Amino acid sequence: MTDNDRPTIDEHNNQQVVVDPSDAVTGLGFVLGGVGAAVGVIAAIVLSPQLEASTILYCVIGGLAGGSAGVVTGGMIGALFSVARGTPR
């Protein structure tokens, strides 16, 4: 979406800017996916019995699991926010 496509809102007008549902789902999916991946990697390091070469594999698996859970959760929350606020038509 370019700046020319965005509606201009007058300060004295009571219109609200509504986020496009796909932007909300994608944005929150990326944010919570990154947070989930970081939490998965940290959990893999903390729960690893010893710091060995296999810890790298645990970190990859934990990052993928946490990231995918974060993307799903972020998409769900973004969809809920979008539906609750409505879309302009």
Side-chain angles (χ1 to χ4, degrees), residues 1-45:
M1 179 177 255
T2 63
D3 287 337
N4 295 336
D5 295 336
R6 295 184 192 279
T8 57
I9 297 176
D10 187 20
E11 291 181 17
H12 303 293
N13 195 349
N14 291 334
Q15 290 181 348
Q16 293 180 349
V17 176
V18 178
V19 177
D20 185 30
S22 62
D23 292 341
V25 169
T26 304
L28 279 172
F30 275 125
V31 169
L32 289 184
V35 170
V39 168
V41 169
I42 291 170
I45 292 172

Side-chain angles (χ1 to χ4, degrees), residues 35-58:
V35 170
V39 168
V41 169
I42 291 170
I45 292 172
V46 169
L47 295 176
S48 178
Q50 295 177 351
L51 292 177
E52 299 174 343
S54 63
T55 306
I56 296 172
L57 179 63
Y58 297 151

Side-chain angles (χ1 to χ4, degrees), residues 63-79:
L64 289 174
S68 64
V71 166
V72 170
T73 305
M76 180 188 65
I77 293 171

